[in-house]
Amino acid sequence: DAGAVTYDHSSNHLGIRVAASERARIDSSGNVNLGAAAANTAIQASGPFSGATPKLEIKLGSASNSYTRLINITNPGGQTGSETLGRVGIKLSLGSEANSGESNKSGIIYAESTSTFNNSTSLCFATNNTETLRISSDNQVGIHTVTPNARLHILATNDKAILIEDSSTGNNAPYLEIIAKRTDGNNHQSFSGQVFLARNRTEQKVNSGLKLGTILFGGNHTDASKSNILYAASIAGMSSGDFNSASDMKTDLVFFT
């Protein structure tokens, strides 16, 4: 059951043996294999990495009908309860870090906590040196926001926040479906499928004559180009008076063509 470091001249690989079995191997190409006495295996699945040989391969056990396996990257412990920030992550880089611009060629997946004892951990994704997506500890997803306050919270400015586009020209078009559930016959609107459109006037209350939310209808003009889609008709909710209180919010429904 001794351990050893061996070199095989026939295949030019360095092996590390523990308990009479090889547990790690570095081959002649510099590929590292942990957990098996074998060379790294080219990826066979289809996709952007099909046929590529991984530089690091970790085999976590033999074949089994049921298994739970894990690679754990962790802070060694010793939390004091006064932590203000904790991060552990993996960086995937296409750049050499030779200059500041090279760091823009990377992506990072990391766990982050800003609470004491590193509780309430979020899983985050960053690209181009900026956090892009976060799954918070209470299972809320934020895109371009670090403080999501809905199951999906997207922060956007003058941009398409959500685009659903048909992938076929010969089948039914995609649709957005919202299903409400309740066991009794309560007919309040809160128990129906809902779409909310609102305006938040950030410097004061909403005043008369403002569009609060709009549904637009349109299509492409001149040719088949998607860039020629314009929206010529709409239905809008408009304030017909100042919003003075929760019970004083006069609103009209207006049709435009």
Side-chain angles (χ1 to χ4, degrees):
D1 293 340
V5 178
T6 62
Y7 190 86
D8 188 317
H9 289 278
S10 62
S11 60
N12 289 319
H13 77 262
L14 179 71
I16 299 176
R17 300 177 64 83
V18 178
S21 296
E22 185 175 300
R23 304 299 184 183
R25 174 180 293 199
I26 304 175
D27 68 15
S28 59
S29 298
N31 299 325
V32 180
N33 189 299
L34 302 179
N40 292 8
T41 306
I43 296 171
Q44 300 301 317
S46 61
F49 293 98
S50 179
T53 299
K55 298 301 291 183
L56 172 62
E57 184 169 87
I58 302 175
K59 292 185 170 69
L60 300 179
S62 58
S64 172
N65 291 331
S66 179
Y67 52 84
T68 300
R69 292 165 184 161
L70 175 70
I71 299 172
N72 188 24
I73 303 174
T74 183
N75 182 54
Q79 288 86 352
T80 64
S82 60
E83 290 78 19
T84 58
L85 174 65
R87 288 194 186 112
V88 176
I90 301 173
K91 182 178 182 181
L92 309 172
S93 181
L94 298 176
S96 64
E97 300 290 348
N99 56 63
S100 59
E102 291 296 294
S103 61
N104 297 333
K105 302 174 184 178
S106 64
I108 303 175
I109 304 171
Y110 58 98
E112 178 184 281
S113 174
T114 56
S115 65
T116 56
F117 294 104
N118 289 334
N119 295 320
S120 303
T121 299
S122 298
L123 181 63
C124 310
F125 300 79
T127 58
N128 197 23
N129 289 323
T130 303
E131 181 179 314
T132 302
L133 185 145
R134 171 180 295 242
I135 304 173
S136 67
S137 59
D138 53 355
N139 298 318
Q140 310 214 86
V141 177
I143 298 177
H144 291 296
T145 175
V146 298
T147 54
N149 51 33
R151 288 303 181 196
L152 175 61
H153 184 169
I154 302 173
L155 196 64
T157 301
N158 193 28
D159 193 10
K160 294 182 180 73
I162 298 176
L163 174 63
I164 302 175
E165 185 173 355
D166 204 338
S167 61
S168 170
T169 59
N171 290 309
N172 294 339
Y175 53 87
L176 182 66
E177 185 173 15
I178 302 174
I179 300 175
K181 292 184 178 181
R182 188 172 171 87
T183 56
D184 60 31
N186 192 313
N187 64 358
H188 190 277
Q189 67 180 22
S190 296
F191 306 117
S192 64
Q194 300 177 83
V195 176
F196 285 36
L197 301 175
R199 180 176 187 139
N200 176 205
R201 185 167 180 180
T202 56
E203 87 284 8
Q204 66 166 57
K205 65 184 178 184
V206 167
N207 64 320
S208 181
L210 295 181
K211 287 185 178 179
L212 309 173
T214 308
I215 301 174
L216 298 97
F217 305 88
N220 55 294
H221 62 84
T222 307
D223 57 32
S225 173
K226 187 172 66 174
S227 63
N228 282 339
I229 293 177
L230 292 177
Y231 299 87
S234 62
I235 303 172
M238 294 189 65
S239 58
S240 54
D242 292 354
F243 283 14
N244 296 312
S245 68
S247 59
D248 184 9
M249 300 172 65
K250 297 181 179 67
T251 303
D252 296 336
L253 193 61
V254 184
F255 294 75
F256 297 89
T257 59

